[in-house]
Structure formats: structure tokens, C-alpha cells
Amino acid sequence: MSVLPVLSYPHPLLKEKMPETDPADPRLSAVLEDLRDTMARHPGCVGLAAPQVSHRFRCLVVDVSRSPRAGENHGLLALVNPRILEASQWKVGREGCLSFPDLLANVKRAQKLRVGAWDATGRPLDLACTGFEAVALQHEIDHLDGVLFLDRIRSSKDLFERKRSS
Amino acid sequence: MKTLAALSAVGKDQPGIVAALSKVLFEKGCNLEDSSMTRLKGDFAVLLLISLPPGLGLEGLQKELQTIAGQWGLTFSIRALSPEEASSAGPASLPHTLVVYGVDHPGIVYRVAQEAADLKINITDLRTHVTQGSQAPLYSLVVEIEIPGEAALQALQKRLERLRGELKVEITLNPAEADEL
């Protein structure tokens, strides 16, 4: 088990598109474990993508049940080669990202999502997600394409500095 | 037709500035047609578009504002808009949002704004943030622009591509679509 440092911008890996990952790759289970362990170390973190912890793999973890605003969810998800099959019910919501610790942004995301992927054991998955879980998945899938939440801002009023009490 | 005037004021931030300014305008019978007010570090900046009631000239208002400005330590200016300015809806355009972010260094705003200016692209809103990055401060800039046409849009995309490499920043250009919720 390892908790890895989370890369923050401008690390170049964050802007890179991750290659398709072989679901049978023997290194995969360790990568997913790193993602789970690292996410667990950050309170309030509900998702992490492989490039954020320096792994050049197309996989991610999401667990919105860690948040009080979770809504309906699948608990801990570890997905390999996730792809969005259907997206609907678009809504603007505020997001943060561990790779930009001091910024928040309003981003438009689908509230209803169907995602195809492989699980940690190489089985195909077809997931229907809603609300916060759908939003978290879109944010993490974007990371696998080198797309960061700032790239999705649509108005100058949609970027905020995070106010820290400490 | 009502007289429109543009008023700007800036000064050291303190509670009461907005109340003092809007009180004068209210008492003189002016309407706030549009406004933008914000705090930049320790200073407070006010931009107002006001309409004056019939019979009130700019001079009448100016005197009152002078008194308030003196009391609150504000530097201000006011000017009447010509009827053309007041009614201008602007040419048809393609509204877009430009997001630029990267390691902070001098010249980012200038270079981006100059590319827009060269293509007769109008900037309608601009905000910047400097936040802590992993090694150096991170600069982020969000600009709302009005692009006069398809040719200018394509030219801008080409210029931004070059700028991205030169400035070593990320640049995205998105159409500023209205939200349909």
C-alpha cells in the first residue's frame, strides 16, 4: 500500500492524454490500490485519476460516499478505460481539484451518466450514475484526457479563489 | 430620452462606500442601470451606469459626488454618454470565453489582449487570479470576448496556438453558451 504525492499544476503529466490500459496488465491492481490509498489520505477528496499520482494509466477511483452531499452512489468505484456512453441533464456546479488546491470553478456537467469501463478484475462494467457521482466521474475521466476543470470554464465569473481559514 | 452617465470611483476599501454613493444617487432620483463593484486587495472599485432624471444635469450631481468622494477618500470621474453610446447594442458577434493559466510571469494579459485587439475582438470582461502553484505562483485569466465573425475566430485560434507555446501557458477558447437548465 502506498500513499503517493498528488501532482499539482503545472506538472506536465496533468495535461497529457493517458493511453488505453490493458485490463489484464499485472501492474494495474497496484495502481488502483495507490489511488485508493491516496484518496483515503485526503479528507473531502471523492475521486482521483492515475496521472494525478504520476501513473501513466487510464484508470481512476471515485467514491462520493465520502462526502455528505453524496446522493445515490455505488460507493468505491475503481474503473479502467472508462468512457462516457450517455450524458444528459446538464447543470452547473462548483468544483475543486487536488491539483489546483487554491481554485474553485463553476463547471457544467451532466447529472445523468452511463459509463462503460472495466473493473479491477478485468470484468466489463456498464454503470448508470446520477448527481454528484456523475459529476465526479466526468471530472476524473477528463483527467485521463489531460483536460482540467479550468479548461471548461464558460464565464469570467466562474473562477474563484478558495478561501482558507488557516 | 433619459440622460445616461458613466461613473467610476476607486478608493481605500471600508464599510459604507456603496451606501454613501447609492444614497446620493437615490436622493437625486438617479437609477442604477448597470454596475460592477469589486474589491482588489485593499482598494474598492466602482463602475456605474446611471440614468439621470429629467431636469438634473451632470453638474448638479457632480457637486454632491465631490462631497462624498472627499468624505470617503475616493477618486472619481463621471461623464455623460452620447445618445449613440447610450443606445448602441454593438455589432453582431460570436461571444466566447478565453481561459488562460500557467506559471505567473509578466506579459500574459498584454500578449493575450494584443492578439484580440489586432483582430478587432472586443474584451467585455476580464478577471485574473494569482494563487499558489506547486513551485511558483499560478496565474489564471478568464476573458469574455466578442468575436466579429468566423474569420476572426479562426485567426484567433491560430494565434492562440502560437501564444500557448511562447508563453508556456494553457489556453482554451470556449463559446460562451447560455445555460439551458
Side-chain angles (χ1 to χ4, degrees), chain A residues 100-163:
Chain A
F100 290 89
D102 291 334
L103 289 170
L104 296 170
N106 287 340
V107 181
K108 194 173 172 183
R109 303 280 193 193
Q111 299 295 303
K112 237 182 124 183
L113 204 66
R114 225 185 95 217
V115 172
W118 280 264
D119 73 5
T121 65
R123 273 185 326 191
L125 293 173
D126 189 325
L127 297 165
C129 304
T130 56
F132 192 31
E133 186 174 62
V135 171
L137 276 166
Q138 288 162 85
H139 180 113
E140 301 311 330
I141 291 172
D142 267 355
H143 271 301
L144 303 180
D145 291 325
V147 175
L148 303 172
F149 72 144
L150 292 195
D151 298 320
R152 297 210 176 267
I153 291 174
R154 294 297 172 106
S155 150
S156 58
K157 295 105 193 160
D158 282 343
L159 185 60
F160 310 90
E161 286 169 40
R162 199 194 282 266
K163 303 280 177 259

Side-chain angles (χ1 to χ4, degrees), chain B residues 19-167:
Chain B
L21 271 175
S22 54
K23 180 167 185 264
V24 172
L25 297 171
F26 169 71
E27 286 174 351
K28 286 283 177 185
C30 298
N31 263 325
L32 302 190
E33 301 287 335
D34 204 353
S35 67
S36 178
M37 310 189 199
T38 197
R39 187 176 64 181
L40 302 169
K41 297 249 188 258
D43 267 34
F44 191 70
V46 175
L47 286 173
L48 289 173
L49 194 64
I50 56 177
S51 59
L52 280 61
L56 178 68
L58 221 51
E59 318 74 52
L61 196 55
Q62 210 145 14
K63 219 177 124 221
E64 303 279 341
L65 288 170
Q66 195 67 63
T67 310
I68 291 294
Q71 282 169 0
W72 292 85
L74 302 173
T75 308
F76 86 100
S77 81
I78 186 165
R79 76 176 179 96
L81 301 189
S82 67
E84 303 84 67
E85 284 177 307
S87 65
S88 74
S93 68
L94 309 167
H96 277 67
T97 301
L98 190 57
V99 183
V100 181
Y101 59 95
V103 174
D104 189 14
H105 60 85
I108 296 176
V109 172
Y110 159 60
R111 294 296 305 279
V112 171
Q114 191 62 57
E115 297 293 354
D118 290 347
L119 295 167
K120 301 270 178 282
I121 290 170
N122 199 24
I123 293 175
T124 57
D125 199 294
L126 184 151
R127 314 232 171 161
T128 62
H129 300 269
V130 183
T131 50
Q132 202 45 60
S134 54
Q135 304 118 31
L138 174 68
Y139 198 78
S140 39
L141 162 68
V142 192
V143 195
E144 289 180 18
I145 53 177
E146 288 177 345
I147 304 175
E150 204 56 52
L153 172 59
Q154 283 176 19
L156 179 66
Q157 280 163 338
K158 214 173 277 171
R159 284 164 177 243
L160 293 177
E161 195 53 55
R162 202 194 57 225
L163 212 53
R164 183 179 286 135
E166 277 180 35
L167 297 180

